[in-house]
Amino acid sequence: MSRQYFATVARGLEFLAAQELKNLGSESVEPGFCGVEFEGDLNLLYRVNLWARLPFRILLRLDEFACQDAQDLYQGIQRLPWQEYLTPDYTLAVDATGKTQQLNHSHFTALQVKNAIVDQQRQQYGERSHVDTQTPDVRINVHLQRDRCIVSLDSSGSSLHRRGYRPAVGTAPLKESLAAALIHLSGWHPKQAFMDPLCGSGTLPLEACLQGLNIAPGLFRQQFGFETWPNFDAQLWQALQTEARNQQLTQLPMPIWGSDRDPDVIEQARLNATNSGVDDHIWFEAIELQDIEAPTDSGILICNPPYGERLGNAQELGHFYRQLGQVLKQRFKGWTVFILSGNKALSQSIGLKSSQRTAINNGSIPCQFLKYELY
């Protein structure tokens, strides 16, 4: 049976995520604000959670109704047949987003939804579900917008960008989902060399390696939200995981490189590579920026230098960006370079003329993904 779903994604990645969902077999795909609507069966729901690299969460749409105030919300939630999704022996949590003129506090909205559900349970069973905000069996998502309420079940559990292979992270790490998007936007393919000379704990090289070896990112996660749903199909889920493992490649045509000046951070990157089973395919080394050399005559270089927002001082970073531009210009002729920059003044210090700029957000920071063709 086909159901309606919504994939939440970072702002600016909606159309890219829509294409990914189409490639995975989704139907009626419609990109919107910070998300993509799509349709499919239970197989697709499991497959998207297992394979999609860009979304944060995959929500199963249950209902949508008119909602202006607390009474509308309570009655709308009570009309749903919660016994199909949640019995008293299952724990629950409610995430509320958005607002109406009268419902403008997410905590109150979530509390009202919880009350409506457990009141229905008491009437039916004489008992109710307990709340577990950290690891609930069923996580309910309620979104208020334009006096409408959309009710969904969160099939993912924790955010999908947390792959599960990266317990070790550096300071201000790049989200795995954003790294995957940047790699896709660069047009990189496994027959090209790939390098990140400012790799930190290795997110960009790791995501490139997973893409190059066709490794499903969901294979590293311990659990998804749908695994604790009453209708969980364990046999189907096991078959999809087996299929994904059988589709993995064992070799890359070209190696992947990552470097950073901090030896401790490079050790974190190596640990993450080991955890993801790709340590034989990535070359990590602690190298100062001024000592970096191009490992091949051509390739794709992507990096995410500090912006002066969370790491470093913008004024002090000016010299660093000028040095980065000089290293690229002198030693990476024949390469295509992409730099994610959240500071326009600093990006101008690179001293190279970009051939393309793509607006993209790194969390709450508006950035430009700059492309440089080095000849």
Side-chain angles (χ1 to χ4, degrees), residues 85-247:
Y85 316 110
L86 178 71
T87 54
D89 53 325
Y90 283 74
T91 58
L92 73 96
V94 180
D95 294 333
T97 58
K99 61 183 179 180
T100 68
Q101 188 171 359
Q102 296 186 50
L103 291 168
N104 53 21
H105 195 292
S106 59
H107 179 73
F108 174 79
T109 298
L111 186 62
Q112 190 77 345
V113 171
K114 184 268 295 181
N115 288 340
I117 294 171
V118 299
D119 286 351
Q120 184 190 94
Q121 288 182 323
R122 287 194 185 98
Q123 294 168 4
Q124 293 178 339
Y125 304 104
E127 54 183 335
R128 51 154 287 184
S129 293
H130 291 291
V131 173
D132 181 350
T133 58
Q134 299 302 312
T135 56
D137 295 319
V138 179
R139 185 176 290 277
I140 298 151
N141 183 281
V142 173
H143 180 65
L144 302 176
Q145 185 177 18
R146 299 189 184 95
D147 292 337
R148 304 286 295 177
C149 176
I150 300 173
V151 187
S152 307
L153 297 185
D154 185 344
S155 72
S156 303
S158 62
S159 176
L160 293 176
H161 86 270
R162 299 188 180 99
R163 308 288 197 231
Y165 66 72
R166 194 177 72 165
V169 297
T171 308
L174 197 67
K175 280 186 172 66
E176 294 91 329
S177 52
L178 178 55
L182 298 180
I183 294 164
H184 185 90
L185 288 169
S186 76
W188 174 78
H189 58 80
K191 292 183 179 180
Q192 293 176 293
F194 182 94
M195 184 174 187
D196 178 359
L198 308 171
C199 72
S201 54
T203 308
L204 278 161
L206 287 166
E207 287 295 315
C209 200
L210 295 183
Q211 290 186 33
L213 292 171
N214 198 37
I215 296 175
L219 287 174
F220 302 102
R221 290 167 59 96
Q222 292 185 349
Q223 192 175 60
F224 291 84
F226 60 75
E227 292 185 68
T228 52
W229 289 2
N231 70 337
F232 174 55
D233 189 335
Q235 187 174 358
L236 171 61
W237 177 232
Q238 186 62 47
L240 288 171
Q241 288 178 295
T242 300
E243 177 188 65
R245 291 189 178 95
N246 290 338
Q247 291 177 3

Side-chain angles (χ1 to χ4, degrees), residues 206 269-279:
L206 287 166
R270 288 172 179 156
L271 175 61
N272 293 334
T274 300
N275 290 337
S276 55
V278 298
D279 46 314

